[in-house]
Amino acid sequence: MTWLNVVETTVTGLGYELVDCERSSHGLLRVYIDRLPDGAYDLPGDLVTVDDCEKVTRQLQYALETVDADYSRLEVSSPGVDRPLKTPAHFARFLGEQVEISLKAPFKGRKKYSGVLCTSQDGDEAAMAAGQAWGLVLKPADADKPLSKTAAKKLAKDQAAGIAAPQDVYEVLGFTLDEIREARLVPEVSFKGRVRRAATPADVAVDEAQELGGQNK
């Protein structure tokens, strides 16, 4: 079993989602985790807490010793309010949310697009079945206000049911995961600041990497 398999198995085994994992040339191993919508955690809320990071760090330090993983420092953190979407499961989880993508090759003179994540309208059936084909409902250029959360959810639901978005109002940009360089959630903005999802006062958000442990090799 490789060190990456160990990281994924440990994180998911503790009831969290492995969002991303980075390993630098200087020996830093950085792991990004998120809470699952139906997960049971010590503290309420949707956002990762310091306690969550500490729990995962302790288990990872022990688990990585079993494969003699070569690293000097370990950092475990939340993915932040603009968390990346990398796997088909990530895209399926955030269907109906505002997402920004960066294409590998420009389309209509642009590489960056932002819109509501929806299912693919006309993608290859095999790619759609594998979760590799998706779409973005784009705001019309002449729209005087952004798409509301309720309208976004309805559009995503219609897309999943095979109901096409009204082409005279909205444009849907289809893409596959192979065609994008990066995809991230667009943080919601409120008078309290940038948030991803509603959180209770008991939440302790960890939006920056917390260095919670390490190992010297």
Side-chain angles (χ1 to χ4, degrees), residues 107-127:
F107 176 71
K108 292 185 178 181
R110 296 169 52 192
K111 286 188 176 182
K112 290 190 176 181
Y113 286 86
S114 179
V116 177
L117 182 64
C118 64
T119 55
S120 176
Q121 284 189 315
D122 53 7
D124 178 82
E125 290 187 4

Side-chain angles (χ1 to χ4, degrees), residues 153-201:
K153 291 292 186 182
K154 182 179 184 304
L155 277 172
K157 184 177 180 180
D158 287 347
Q159 287 291 105
I163 304 173
Q167 293 301 308
D168 58 335
V169 180
Y170 301 109
E171 179 183 359
V172 178
L173 172 67
F175 64 91
T176 64
L177 300 194
D178 289 338
E179 293 175 323
I180 62 174
R181 189 176 306 279
E182 183 182 56
R184 289 184 175 274
L185 289 182
V186 176
E188 298 176 15
V189 179
S190 72
F191 66 93
K192 292 184 178 179
R194 294 156 66 88
V195 298
R196 188 177 73 205
R197 299 183 296 274
T200 66

Side-chain angles (χ1 to χ4, degrees), residues 7 15 24 26 33 39 48 54 62 67 85 94 104 107-109 113 123 125 143 150 156 168 170 181-182 191:
V7 170
S24 75
H26 302 292
I33 64 172
V48 173
E54 290 177 340
Y62 172 76
V67 292
L85 307 182
F94 292 102
K104 293 178 180 177
F107 176 71
K108 292 185 178 181
Y113 286 86
E125 290 187 4
T150 301
D168 58 335
Y170 301 109
R181 189 176 306 279
E182 183 182 56
F191 66 93

Side-chain angles (χ1 to χ4, degrees), residues 11-183:
V11 171
T12 56
L14 291 171
Y16 299 93
E17 179 184 30
L18 177 62
V19 178
D20 202 1
C21 190
E22 300 174 350
R23 192 174 184 179
S24 75
S25 59
H26 302 292
L28 172 63
L29 178 58
R30 183 177 287 119
V31 177
Y32 297 97
I33 64 172
D34 202 1
R35 288 186 170 191
L36 294 170
D38 56 352
Y41 303 101
D42 296 335
L43 294 175
D46 296 328
L47 301 179
V48 173
T49 68
V50 172
D51 288 343
D52 293 328
C53 293
E54 290 177 340
K55 180 191 298 185
V56 174
T57 297
R58 286 194 297 269
Q59 287 299 113
L60 280 178
Q61 287 175 323
Y62 172 76
L64 289 170
E65 287 182 356
T66 64
V67 292
D68 197 28
D70 184 18
Y71 71 96
S72 60
R73 286 193 301 147
L74 172 64
E75 291 182 0
V76 176
S77 77
S78 83
V81 293
D82 59 342
R83 64 159 281 173
L85 307 182
K86 291 181 173 290
T87 69
H90 292 172
F91 282 82
R93 174 179 173 181
F94 292 102
L95 193 68
E97 298 289 343
Q98 289 281 345
V99 171
E100 181 179 82
I101 65 171
S102 177
L103 299 171
K104 293 178 180 177
F107 176 71
K108 292 185 178 181
R110 296 169 52 192
K111 286 188 176 182
K112 290 190 176 181
Y113 286 86
S114 179
V116 177
L117 182 64
C118 64
T119 55
S120 176
Q121 284 189 315
D122 53 7
D124 178 82
E125 290 187 4
M128 293 169 62
Q132 296 290 328
W134 299 89
L136 279 187
V137 181
L138 307 178
K139 185 180 71 172
D142 57 351
D144 57 356
K145 60 181 179 180
L147 195 64
S148 70
K149 190 77 170 179
T150 301
K153 291 292 186 182
K154 182 179 184 304
L155 277 172
K157 184 177 180 180
D158 287 347
Q159 287 291 105
I163 304 173
Q167 293 301 308
D168 58 335
V169 180
Y170 301 109
E171 179 183 359
V172 178
L173 172 67
F175 64 91
T176 64
L177 300 194
D178 289 338
E179 293 175 323
I180 62 174
R181 189 176 306 279
E182 183 182 56

